Amino acid sequence: NAGVMQNPRHLVRRRGQEARLRCSPMKGHSHVYWYRQLPEEGLKFMVYLQKENIIDESGMPKERFSAEFPKEGPSILRIQQVVRGDSAAYFCASSIAGVGTDTQYFGPGTRLTVL
Amino acid sequence: GESVGLHLPTLSVQEGDNSIINCAYSNSASDYFIWYKQESGKGPQFIIDIRSNMDKRQGQRVTVLLNKTVKHLSLQIAATQPGDSAVYFCAETHSGNTPLVFGKGTRLSVIA
């Protein structure tokens, strides 16, 4: 049973370009969460989605960042016009049920470097 | 093992000794707590969880203790092994669908 899959594992972008990060949840999981982690820090919640719905985006910057979890296919975290401060590791987690009711399992992360 | 400034606190233990990693959580309404282990270059890995109606839970070589009075959580690792070397994070949430809030982490270094 495959775990949470993320790709790409490493992504390099120049300032102003777009970054697309993909996350495929564990089989049977319909809840997806995105977190950002800076070096030597804990993970910071960004957004929580169920299929075709954004449930909580309170941790996501209002500009340049968007997320979706379509009916078919992986969840996508999209960062437009990237800046150096977007450089971080982005982790996706999935769970069977919603936050607080079931364990979140994490993917290996995408390490974004903005030049 | 509380976080100080921007640098992770480090706990160094001898192989075979027991480790205790501490965490102070912030929200008195939190009722679900998880410990994650993160190795370099990898995603957080679930270790053990506990709900607020318990004060202790044991797994294989690990025990989590919860003290709601002082909002304190600890992870005990028995007979620490080199493979336990990693950063350990506690996370808290409330079952009313609030996001996981992570602590800043403690780096465990096992000396062979």
Side-chain angles (χ1 to χ4, degrees):
Chain A
N1 188 13
V4 177
M5 311 282 282
Q6 287 188 252
N7 69 83
R9 294 293 309 278
H10 300 273
L11 183 60
V12 179
R13 285 288 178 267
R14 296 192 180 279
R15 281 178 296 169
Q17 291 184 320
E18 179 180 287
R20 278 183 179 242
L21 288 62
R22 296 174 190 77
C23 169
S24 296
M26 285 178 69
K27 187 176 181 180
H29 288 194
S30 59
H31 299 252
V32 165
Y33 316 81
W34 286 94
Y35 295 83
R36 176 163 62 179
Q37 185 179 37
L38 295 173
E40 299 287 293
E41 292 192 11
L43 283 75
K44 296 288 195 297
F45 167 79
M46 298 180 72
V47 60
Y48 162 35
L49 311 101
Q50 292 181 39
K51 284 285 187 182
E52 300 184 279
N53 285 307
I54 295 175
I55 307 302
D56 183 346
E57 55 183 347
S58 58
M60 198 156 68
K62 296 283 186 286
E63 296 179 355
R64 302 189 299 107
F65 285 73
S66 62
E68 63 177 9
F69 189 16
K71 188 177 179 181
E72 302 290 337
S75 175
I76 306 285
L77 178 68
R78 183 182 177 206
I79 312 172
Q80 295 177 288
Q81 299 174 318
V82 296
V83 300
R84 288 220 173 105
D86 296 332
S87 294
Y90 291 83
F91 291 96
C92 167
S94 72
S95 67
I96 294 175
V99 170
T101 62
D102 199 42
T103 304
Q104 295 179 30
Y105 294 93
F106 283 82
T110 294
R111 278 145 188 87
L112 173 65
T113 302
V114 180
L115 301 177
Chain B
E2 297 304 327
S3 175
V4 177
L6 295 177
H7 302 289
L8 291 175
T10 298
L11 175 67
S12 296
V13 299
Q14 205 72 35
E15 182 179 359
D17 287 352
N18 297 335
S19 304
I20 300 177
I21 300 171
N22 297 303
C23 177
Y25 64 92
S26 55
N27 187 353
S28 56
S30 293
D31 58 7
Y32 180 50
F33 306 89
I34 311 169
W35 279 100
Y36 286 94
K37 170 187 180 183
Q38 188 176 26
E39 296 174 278
S40 181
K42 296 184 179 180
Q45 175 189 354
F46 172 86
I47 302 174
I48 192 167
D49 60 0
I50 188 168
R51 298 198 181 272
S52 58
N53 59 352
M54 303 174 71
D55 52 22
K56 180 179 180 179
R57 191 164 185 221
Q58 287 185 286
Q60 188 176 20
R61 278 202 310 120
V62 294
T63 301
V64 54
L65 299 177
L66 174 63
N67 185 331
K68 294 182 288 292
T69 303
V70 295
K71 293 192 291 185
H72 185 267
L73 197 66
S74 70
L75 176 70
Q76 299 178 2
I77 304 174
T80 313
Q81 301 168 1
D84 295 327
S85 294
V87 177
Y88 289 81
F89 293 98
C90 65
E92 61 179 295
T93 187
H94 183 260
S95 54
N97 284 336
T98 56
L100 274 178
V101 176
F102 280 79
K104 291 187 179 178
T106 297
R107 187 182 308 280
L108 176 64
S109 179
V110 181
I111 305 163

Coordinates of all heavy atoms in Angstrom, one line a residue, chain B residues 74-110:
Chain B
S74 N 5.2 14.6 26.6 CA 6.5 14.1 26.5 C 6.5 12.7 25.8 O 5.5 12.0 25.7 CB 7.2 13.9 27.9 OG 6.5 12.8 28.6
L75 N 7.7 12.5 25.1 CA 7.9 11.2 24.4 C 9.1 10.6 25.0 O 10.1 11.1 25.1 CB 8.2 11.5 22.9 CG 8.5 10.3 22.1 CD1 7.2 9.5 21.9 CD2 9.1 10.8 20.7
Q76 N 8.9 9.3 25.5 CA 10.0 8.6 26.0 C 10.3 7.4 25.1 O 9.4 6.7 24.6 CB 9.5 8.0 27.4 CG 9.2 9.0 28.4 CD 8.7 8.5 29.7 OE1 8.7 7.3 29.9 NE2 8.3 9.4 30.6
I77 N 11.6 7.3 24.8 CA 12.1 6.3 23.9 C 13.0 5.4 24.7 O 14.0 5.8 25.3 CB 12.9 6.8 22.7 CG1 12.0 7.8 21.9 CG2 13.3 5.7 21.8 CD1 12.8 8.6 20.8
A78 N 12.6 4.1 24.8 CA 13.4 3.2 25.6 C 14.6 2.6 24.7 O 14.4 2.4 23.5 CB 12.5 2.0 26.1
A79 N 15.7 2.4 25.4 CA 16.8 1.7 24.7 C 17.1 2.4 23.4 O 17.0 1.8 22.3 CB 16.6 0.2 24.6
T80 N 17.4 3.7 23.5 CA 17.6 4.5 22.2 C 18.7 3.9 21.3 O 19.7 3.4 21.8 CB 18.0 5.9 22.6 OG1 17.1 6.4 23.6 CG2 17.9 6.8 21.4
Q81 N 18.4 3.9 20.0 CA 19.3 3.3 19.0 C 19.7 4.3 18.0 O 19.1 5.4 17.9 CB 18.5 2.2 18.3 CG 18.0 1.1 19.1 CD 17.0 0.2 18.4 OE1 16.7 0.4 17.2 NE2 16.4 -0.8 19.1
P82 N 20.8 4.1 17.3 CA 21.3 5.1 16.4 C 20.2 5.5 15.3 O 20.2 6.6 14.9 CB 22.5 4.4 15.7 CG 23.0 3.5 16.8 CD 21.8 3.0 17.5
G83 N 19.4 4.5 15.0 CA 18.3 4.8 14.0 C 17.2 5.8 14.6 O 16.4 6.2 13.8
D84 N 17.3 6.0 15.9 CA 16.3 7.0 16.5 C 16.8 8.4 16.3 O 16.0 9.4 16.5 CB 16.2 6.7 18.0 CG 15.5 5.4 18.2 OD1 14.7 4.9 17.4 OD2 15.9 4.8 19.3
S85 N 18.0 8.6 15.8 CA 18.5 10.0 15.6 C 17.6 10.7 14.5 O 17.5 10.2 13.4 CB 20.0 9.9 15.1 OG 20.8 9.5 16.1
A86 N 17.1 11.8 14.9 CA 16.1 12.5 14.0 C 15.7 13.8 14.7 O 16.1 14.0 15.9 CB 14.9 11.7 13.6
V87 N 14.8 14.6 14.1 CA 14.1 15.7 14.8 C 12.7 15.2 15.1 O 12.1 14.6 14.3 CB 14.1 16.9 13.9 CG1 13.3 18.0 14.6 CG2 15.5 17.4 13.5
Y88 N 12.3 15.4 16.3 CA 11.0 15.0 16.8 C 10.1 16.2 17.0 O 10.5 17.2 17.7 CB 11.2 14.2 18.1 CG 11.8 12.8 17.9 CD1 13.2 12.7 17.7 CD2 11.0 11.7 17.7 CE1 13.8 11.5 17.5 CE2 11.6 10.5 17.5 CZ 13.0 10.4 17.3 OH 13.6 9.1 17.1
F89 N 8.9 16.1 16.5 CA 8.0 17.2 16.6 C 6.7 16.7 17.3 O 6.2 15.6 17.0 CB 7.5 17.7 15.3 CG 8.6 18.4 14.4 CD1 9.3 17.7 13.5 CD2 8.9 19.7 14.7 CE1 10.2 18.3 12.7 CE2 9.8 20.4 13.9 CZ 10.5 19.7 12.9
C90 N 6.2 17.5 18.2 CA 4.9 17.2 18.7 C 3.9 18.1 17.9 O 4.3 19.1 17.4 CB 4.7 17.6 20.2 SG 4.9 19.3 20.6
A91 N 2.7 17.6 17.8 CA 1.6 18.4 17.1 C 0.3 18.2 17.9 O 0.1 17.2 18.5 CB 1.4 17.8 15.7
E92 N -0.4 19.3 17.8 CA -1.7 19.3 18.6 C -2.8 19.8 17.7 O -2.6 20.5 16.7 CB -1.6 20.3 19.8 CG -1.3 21.7 19.3 CD -1.2 22.7 20.5 OE1 -2.3 22.9 21.2 OE2 -0.1 23.3 20.7
T93 N -4.0 19.3 18.0 CA -5.2 19.8 17.3 C -6.4 19.6 18.1 O -6.4 19.0 19.2 CB -5.4 19.1 15.9 OG1 -6.4 19.7 15.2 CG2 -5.7 17.6 16.1
H94 N -7.5 20.2 17.7 CA -8.8 20.1 18.4 C -9.7 19.3 17.4 O -9.7 19.6 16.2 CB -9.3 21.5 18.7 CG -10.6 21.4 19.5 ND1 -11.8 21.6 18.8 CD2 -10.9 21.1 20.8 CE1 -12.8 21.4 19.8 NE2 -12.2 21.2 20.9
S95 N -10.4 18.4 17.9 CA -11.3 17.6 17.1 C -12.3 18.3 16.3 O -13.0 17.8 15.5 CB -11.9 16.4 17.9 OG -12.6 16.9 19.0
G96 N -12.5 19.6 16.7 CA -13.4 20.4 15.9 C -12.9 20.9 14.6 O -13.2 22.0 14.2
N97 N -12.1 20.1 14.0 CA -11.5 20.4 12.6 C -10.7 21.7 12.6 O -10.8 22.5 11.7 CB -12.7 20.6 11.6 CG -13.3 19.3 11.2 OD1 -12.6 18.3 11.3 ND2 -14.5 19.3 10.8
T98 N -9.7 21.8 13.5 CA -8.7 22.8 13.5 C -7.4 22.1 12.9 O -7.2 20.9 13.1 CB -8.4 23.4 14.8 OG1 -8.1 22.4 15.8 CG2 -9.7 24.1 15.3
P99 N -6.6 22.9 12.3 CA -5.4 22.3 11.7 C -4.4 21.8 12.7 O -4.4 22.3 13.9 CB -4.8 23.5 10.9 CG -5.8 24.5 10.7 CD -6.7 24.3 11.9
L100 N -3.5 20.9 12.3 CA -2.4 20.5 13.2 C -1.5 21.7 13.4 O -1.1 22.4 12.5 CB -1.6 19.4 12.6 CG -2.0 17.9 12.8 CD1 -1.1 17.0 12.0 CD2 -2.1 17.5 14.2
V101 N -1.1 21.9 14.7 CA -0.1 22.9 15.0 C 1.1 22.2 15.6 O 1.0 21.4 16.5 CB -0.7 23.9 16.1 CG1 0.4 24.9 16.5 CG2 -1.9 24.6 15.6
F102 N 2.2 22.4 14.9 CA 3.4 21.7 15.2 C 4.3 22.6 16.2 O 4.4 23.8 16.1 CB 4.3 21.5 14.0 CG 3.8 20.3 13.2 CD1 2.7 20.4 12.4 CD2 4.5 19.1 13.3 CE1 2.3 19.3 11.6 CE2 4.1 18.0 12.5 CZ 3.0 18.1 11.7
G103 N 4.9 21.9 17.1 CA 6.0 22.5 17.9 C 7.2 22.7 17.1 O 7.3 22.2 15.9
K104 N 8.2 23.3 17.6 CA 9.4 23.6 16.8 C 10.4 22.5 16.7 O 11.3 22.6 16.0 CB 10.1 24.9 17.4 CG 9.2 26.1 17.1 CD 9.9 27.4 17.5 CE 9.0 28.6 17.2 NZ 9.6 29.9 17.6
G105 N 10.2 21.5 17.5 CA 11.1 20.3 17.3 C 12.3 20.2 18.2 O 12.8 21.2 18.7
T106 N 12.7 19.0 18.4 CA 13.9 18.7 19.2 C 14.8 17.7 18.4 O 14.2 16.7 17.9 CB 13.6 18.0 20.6 OG1 12.8 19.0 21.3 CG2 14.8 17.6 21.3
R107 N 16.0 18.0 18.3 CA 16.9 17.1 17.5 C 17.5 16.1 18.5 O 18.1 16.4 19.5 CB 18.1 17.9 16.9 CG 18.9 17.0 16.0 CD 20.1 17.8 15.3 NE 19.6 19.0 14.7 CZ 19.1 19.1 13.5 NH1 19.0 18.0 12.8 NH2 18.7 20.2 13.0
L108 N 17.3 14.8 18.3 CA 17.8 13.7 19.1 C 19.1 13.2 18.4 O 19.0 12.7 17.2 CB 16.8 12.6 19.3 CG 17.3 11.4 20.0 CD1 17.6 11.7 21.5 CD2 16.2 10.3 20.0
S109 N 20.2 13.2 19.1 CA 21.4 12.7 18.6 C 21.9 11.5 19.4 O 22.0 11.6 20.7 CB 22.5 13.8 18.6 OG 23.7 13.3 18.1
V110 N 22.0 10.3 18.8 CA 22.3 9.1 19.6 C 23.8 8.8 19.4 O 24.3 8.7 18.3 CB 21.5 7.9 19.1 CG1 21.9 6.7 19.9 CG2 20.0 8.2 19.3

